[in-house]
Amino acid sequence: QVQLVESGGGLVQAGGSLRLSCVASGGTFTDYNMAWFRQAPGKEREFVATINWSGSTTYLTNSVKGRFTMSRINAKNTVYLQMDSLKPEDTAVYYCAASESKVVPAENDYWGQGTQVTVSS
């Protein structure tokens, strides 16, 4: 069973950048497709990006395309979310998730505790 720990969140001004990291332990990292989700105050959790086990395929939701990049380094058991040109509407708790069978993890897959990203205007 894999455990996920996110880091890299913080407070940044609009137009700035942050890089989130998610380190996995307790499993074989290449068994998992990985994803990032986010949840803003008062809103439901939403999908942000996903990457397959090898890192050869990524998919990002339309609202972050061209600004965010997802990647992984399997030798480090780590996935990243590079966030550029940040906007106040990107403010949310960002969660890392893993699934052995799904491209987009579901509630019954593996989740981290989240890291707060706050973008000031």
Side-chain angles (χ1 to χ4, degrees):
Q1 185 170 353
V2 67
Q3 291 84 44
L4 305 173
V5 178
E6 303 97 333
S7 62
L11 173 64
V12 64
Q13 290 187 332
S17 298
L18 283 174
R19 188 178 77 159
L20 306 183
S21 300
C22 172
V23 178
S25 62
T28 301
F29 190 56
T30 50
D31 284 347
Y32 299 92
N33 299 316
M34 303 294 295
W36 288 97
F37 288 74
R38 65 186 180 186
Q39 187 167 20
K43 295 188 177 181
E44 294 186 354
R45 189 155 54 188
E46 65 170 348
F47 166 79
V48 176
T50 186
I51 190 166
N52 71 333
W53 69 272
S54 68
S56 62
T57 303
T58 60
Y59 179 80
L60 292 89
T61 195
N62 285 341
S63 62
V64 307
K65 283 182 181 176
R67 300 188 299 121
F68 291 11
T69 303
M70 186 173 183
S71 61
R72 66 191 291 164
I73 299 179
N74 287 339
K76 294 186 176 182
N77 287 3
T78 303
V79 293
Y80 302 96
L81 186 68
Q82 177 67 41
M83 306 186 296
D84 300 317
S85 302
L86 282 160
K87 304 176 181 180
E89 51 263 44
D90 294 318
T91 295
V93 177
Y94 283 70
Y95 296 91
C96 176
S99 177
E100 293 175 285
S101 58
K102 307 179 195 72
V103 173
V104 178
E107 289 297 325
N108 61 344
D109 286 306
Y110 304 102
W111 293 80
Q113 293 301 305
T115 186
Q116 176 71 48
V117 172
T118 303
V119 184
S120 63
S121 57

